[in-house]
Amino acid sequence: MPTLHLEQTIFMTSSGQPQEEMAYRKMLADCQAAGEPITPVPPSEIGRIGRKKVAQTVEAHRWSRRVDAWKVDVSRPCQFVLKQTSEQEITTSEGKSYKVDLATGQGDVQDVGSPQPNGPVDDGDLDAVAAGAGWKREGKSQAAGQACDVWVAPAGDRYCVWSGGTQWGYSRSGINALDGDGESSGGAIVLQATPPAANFGWNVQTDTFTVGKAADESTFAIPANAKITASN
């Protein structure tokens, strides 16, 4: 299995707009209209509101995942503070699984056994399975320079699912390919997701996806200042 490296931006949309950013803009306008003292989010940071950056590196016997997310703290009326959370997960070839809060440096480690590479996946008759679940495959496309199959969910969400990884255990199916947090699940990689304009839904954009490029070893390094506690 080659090294896979994936970087994505994920956010929830409502009526085709970034939901949390639009909510902030409305609160800001309401505060301005009321003449309240305001501490706004710096204009250069507004584009981060409600966004999540996910970076993953996967190899046959180890993997790493980092998630950075930004939300507006509204605990004080009209005093808006953009707060960032950052979390790193690493599973080593020795079977150690680390999870670290990068803001506090607190983390834990468990023995989970060495990750094993996946064998080829047999998707079977994808179109028949999809039809039974109300999904439809619209054809092939590309995202971030990689081939993908385009799927349309019953609610109208469109997923572009990586089609180049079946030999390493990655399905081409779009059914339930995103979890409740907008991240790929079910053994598939969603390279792009676009919800219908009239509905809520996850927007997923792939910023970088490489197959076979050597990993940056720092990706698998436990943060130097981390305080790791063993857990059962």
Side-chain angles (χ1 to χ4, degrees), residues 61-218:
H61 297 286
R62 62 178 182 170
W63 63 270
S64 171
R65 174 177 175 271
R66 173 171 173 156
V67 179
D68 296 282
W70 293 266
K71 291 185 176 294
V72 176
D73 182 342
V74 293
S75 56
R76 297 172 59 204
C78 300
Q79 305 301 300
F80 303 106
V81 179
L82 185 63
K83 293 195 171 181
Q84 177 180 350
T85 58
S86 299
E87 187 175 271
Q88 179 85 49
E89 295 179 71
I90 297 171
T91 296
T92 70
S93 57
E94 294 77 27
K96 301 286 188 181
S97 178
Y98 294 86
K99 188 173 183 179
V100 183
D101 182 326
L102 296 178
T104 65
Q106 300 296 323
D108 62 61
V109 60
Q110 300 182 58
D111 287 309
V112 296
S114 178
Q116 298 301 311
N118 295 324
V121 63
D122 181 3
D123 279 324
D125 190 339
L126 282 176
D127 294 308
V129 173
W135 287 67
K136 180 182 179 182
R137 180 160 53 170
E138 284 202 338
K140 299 183 179 298
S141 186
Q142 281 198 343
Q146 297 290 334
C148 53
D149 285 2
V150 179
W151 294 92
V152 181
D157 299 79
R158 298 171 64 87
Y159 295 171
C160 207
V161 179
W162 184 41
S163 57
T166 55
Q167 65 269 49
W168 307 304
Y170 290 95
S171 173
R172 295 180 294 127
S173 174
I175 301 174
N176 300 323
L178 287 185
D179 64 17
D181 295 319
E183 297 183 41
S184 293
S185 65
I189 295 179
V190 179
L191 295 180
Q192 190 174 62
T194 308
N199 293 356
F200 290 95
W202 288 109
N203 184 295
V204 178
Q205 299 295 324
T206 296
D207 305 312
T208 300
F209 185 33
T210 60
V211 179
K213 182 179 179 180
D216 180 346
E217 285 300 316
S218 66

Side-chain angles (χ1 to χ4, degrees), residues 3-82:
T3 299
L4 307 180
H5 181 70
L6 178 70
E7 297 181 16
Q8 296 186 311
T9 301
I10 301 170
F11 58 94
M12 177 64 73
T13 67
S14 174
S15 300
Q17 299 296 319
Q19 183 185 22
E20 292 187 37
E21 180 185 336
M22 293 302 102
Y24 162 73
R25 291 184 182 277
K26 183 179 185 308
M27 288 187 291
L28 179 63
D30 290 344
C31 289
Q32 292 169 333
E36 297 288 342
I38 300 170
T39 299
V41 173
S44 61
E45 299 291 299
I46 290 176
R48 289 185 168 182
I49 296 173
R51 271 69 168 186
K52 176 166 56 175
K53 295 280 189 179
V54 180
Q56 300 181 73
T57 302
V58 181
E59 295 184 341
H61 297 286
R62 62 178 182 170
W63 63 270
S64 171
R65 174 177 175 271
R66 173 171 173 156
V67 179
D68 296 282
W70 293 266
K71 291 185 176 294
V72 176
D73 182 342
V74 293
S75 56
R76 297 172 59 204
C78 300
Q79 305 301 300
F80 303 106
V81 179
L82 185 63

